[in-house]
Amino acid sequence: KSVTATIARAVVRQRCTRGASMRHSYIHKGSFSTFSKPSEIIGLHNLSDNPGARKKRKRVGRGPGSGRGKTCGRGHKGQKARGKVNRTFEGGQTPLHRKFPKSGFKNKNKVVYDVVNCSDVVERIRQGRIDASKPITIKSLYDAGLVNGVKQGVKLLGKGIEELTTLEGPLTIEVSHASKEAKAAVEELGGQVTYRYFNKRALRAHIKPHKFHPNLMPGPSIPPMKLRDRYLPFMEEELLAYYKHLYRDEEEMKAAKQKQTEN
């Protein structure tokens, strides 16, 4: 009996040690999720950027042990060690940008309009994004998605003018400019095309009025001399009512000056 009991105890002990070693190996291998370390909760104390997102600045002149000590990685003497070299410098020979002759010029005062075709306007009216019963302004075209980032105005072009006949009523369009074909097509159907000049600030206030205080909205823009023949027939009354110092002609201006001198 004693021998049998000793053998039984030895077998049990061996099985227990084998199971313990297996459990120990599983814990190290991470086979059981119950033994894995819980993930750390993100908070203000451990917030950080992704590794490599922030590059350390290059520190130079910090001794020979840094690798960029005395000469700071520039080498000994020479033009590149003392300063920067212009990209166009070619060692003293005539550079390429001076070797060839120049032709033409770039007009700084050129007016570049964002274009809108008649077919696009008709399409937005059918979709219900433009109300044809009201005057169609640059803001209406902007809200309908026909123009984006307008800088100097909008011009109406005549592509798709045959589609204007499919509309129920005439259109009233107010833009910066329009082609002869587009204007004639709208007016033949009983509509009207008017021109309005906007400077940079007034155009921004017209398109995005929510960005301006109601008491600080800019008034009507005075067109430059070379564009007054186009805009004054449509804006003259509004400009004279807003700007009291403007006069219709020289006689009116002389009469006003005479009144000032008498007073």
Side-chain angles (χ1 to χ4, degrees), residues 145-159:
L146 290 176
V147 290
N148 185 23
V150 185
K151 293 183 178 180
Q152 293 181 305
V154 175
K155 183 176 182 179
L156 181 67
L157 299 183
K159 184 178 179 181

Side-chain angles (χ1 to χ4, degrees), residues 171-182:
L171 300 179
T172 302
I173 304 176
E174 182 186 82
V175 289
S176 303
H177 196 27
S179 64
K180 294 180 180 179
E181 295 81 6

